Amino acid sequence: MPEPERGPQQREPQSESLLTVVIAFSANLLIAIAKTVAALLSGSASMIAESAHSWADSGNEVLLLVAERRGAKPRDAAHPLGYGRETYIWSMFAAFGLFTAGAVVSIYNGIHELGASEASSDVLLNYIVLGVSAALEGTSFLQAYRQAHGAASARKVPLLRHVLQSSNPTMRAVFAEDSAALVGLAIAFLGVLLHQLTGSAVYDAVGSIAVGVLLGVVAVVLIDRNRRFLLGETTSPQVRDAVLGELLGHDTIERVTYLHLEFIGPSKVFLVAAVDLAGNRPEADVAVLLRTAERRIEENPYVEEAILTLSLPDDESLEPRGAVSERQARQQPA
């Protein structure tokens, strides 16, 4: 049975996601300290926004580390479907933190500084900090990019599509935050530069507002994706067809009339299916066959739990879309 996102034997190891978060946290903490010093010395609105952004990112990485740890706990009697959804809960907390501590503070600071008329000062320090920040953010982004690109290549889908659809919220959060950080650095650079060239602090203030709007958009997207997975996100049609094909490949399963696949954590699904078993067997044998098939399905590391029930005689059979297309093609006149 194929993995919900990557394919056979290609699951993203938890250690890779953990490494991505650790690198992002280390980079953001160093950047936040440097930006804060530069902001205090220069009074630049864009630098103040960037320092708030980096402190928000640093706090978010701590929440993402908690998400990785708590979401990896094995299931128990109190949580028969495991703790995978905790990953989405803590990732949502991180997204809210990005919105409040990053977006709101940056926009408020920019609006407050719109009427300022102070000349720019210590711009060299700002440029140095922005350059060092770009290098550190770039290092963190490359790790997130490698993880996301590898998974996207395995799924044979575009990178951004995989990032948005992935059931791994920590990878998505780090990728989105690092991307926003690099764009934010470019905005801050323009704000500082235009302030220096024109002597008008308006450009610096507008830069702060622009950084805040950027963070707000990213935060809303992350919040929405985590909300969808908490509600019960299904797998893609391609994965559903592949799983359906695997079920029909079982010796004891003659047809499938219902199939439900739902993410309950990163790369973990809950499977429910109605099947028609081959032949006519006594009730006791049917129960044993169903339980045996469930256990075989659950041997796949991406299926947390599988529940099989019997189909009704008149239920319509499900077929993978590829099989339907091939049958329709054979029915077309030559």
Side-chain angles (χ1 to χ4, degrees):
M1 183 176 298
E3 192 269 337
E5 291 184 5
R6 301 195 64 179
Q9 309 303 320
Q10 292 177 318
R11 185 185 179 191
E12 298 174 64
Q14 183 191 2
S15 59
E16 187 176 5
S17 293
L18 186 60
L19 175 63
T20 300
V21 176
V22 169
I23 291 176
F25 171 73
S26 302
N28 282 319
L29 184 60
L30 292 174
I31 292 169
I33 295 172
K35 286 179 179 177
T36 300
V37 173
L40 291 174
L41 293 176
S42 67
S44 167
S46 293
M47 290 305 298
I48 293 174
E50 277 298 304
S51 62
H53 176 186
S54 293
W55 282 115
D57 281 354
S58 299
N60 290 347
E61 308 309 336
V62 174
L63 294 175
L64 293 178
L65 287 172
V66 174
E68 283 289 311
R69 291 299 186 185
R70 296 185 67 90
K73 293 169 59 177
R75 64 179 180 171
D76 51 33
H79 297 84
L81 293 181
Y83 291 81
R85 283 197 172 102
E86 277 222 60
T87 311
Y88 304 120
I89 294 173
W90 289 95
S91 297
M92 181 172 283
F93 289 161
F96 276 118
L98 180 66
F99 185 84
T100 55
V104 174
V105 171
S106 298
I107 293 174
Y108 173 81
N109 178 70
I111 294 175
H112 183 265
E113 294 294 325
L114 275 175
S117 58
E118 295 86 355
S120 58
S121 60
D122 295 312
V123 291
L124 179 59
L125 177 61
N126 287 341
Y127 292 142
I128 292 174
V129 170
L130 288 173
V132 172
S133 299
L136 292 173
E137 290 286 8
T139 301
S140 176
F141 175 76
L142 284 177
Q143 170 61 26
Y145 176 85
R146 280 194 292 266
Q147 182 183 359
H149 184 266
S153 298
R155 290 182 62 200
K156 296 181 174 60
V157 298
L159 175 64
L160 292 181
R161 178 181 171 187
H162 168 71
V163 171
L164 287 174
Q165 293 182 346
S166 174
S167 65
N168 187 336
T170 55
M171 179 277 295
R172 176 169 44 251
V174 174
F175 186 94
E177 290 176 5
D178 286 349
S179 300
L182 291 173
V183 175
L185 288 172
I187 294 173
F189 172 79
L190 287 176
V192 172
L193 177 63
L194 291 174
H195 186 183
Q196 179 188 12
L197 294 177
T198 65
S200 173
V202 171
Y203 295 104
D204 206 6
V206 170
S208 178
I209 295 173
V211 169
V213 172
L214 172 66
L215 297 182
V217 171
V218 171
V220 168
V221 171
L222 293 177
I223 289 170
D224 180 66
R225 292 305 296 147
N226 285 298
R227 178 188 66 83
R228 289 174 181 270
F229 279 103
L230 285 172
L231 285 175
E233 182 92 344
T234 187
T235 62
S236 67
Q238 294 80 4
V239 170
R240 182 179 182 277
D241 288 342
V243 171
L244 182 57
E246 290 284 345
L247 289 175
L248 291 172
H250 281 250
D251 295 338
T252 57
I253 297 178
E254 189 170 86
R255 65 192 186 102
V256 178
T257 60
Y258 174 81
L259 177 60
H260 173 79
L261 294 169
E262 178 182 327
F263 280 110
I264 55 173
S267 299
K268 287 284 189 179
V269 296
F270 174 49
L271 183 153
V272 180
V275 301
D276 188 8
L277 299 178
N280 295 314
R281 306 169 186 269
E283 181 179 345
D285 292 346
V286 169
V288 171
L289 288 173
L290 285 177
R291 296 300 176 270
T292 301
E294 288 173 351
R295 299 293 86 80
R296 286 179 59 189
I297 294 171
E298 289 174 357
E299 289 176 359
N300 187 288
Y302 315 114
V303 178
E304 189 68 37
E305 184 169 4
I307 296 179
L308 301 182
T309 186
L310 292 177
S311 304
L312 294 175
D314 296 333
D315 287 344
E316 183 178 353
S317 299
L318 300 179
E319 294 186 58
R321 290 181 304 170
V324 175
S325 299
E326 291 176 6
R327 186 175 69 250
Q328 290 176 341
R330 289 195 297 268
Q331 293 174 348
Q332 295 295 324

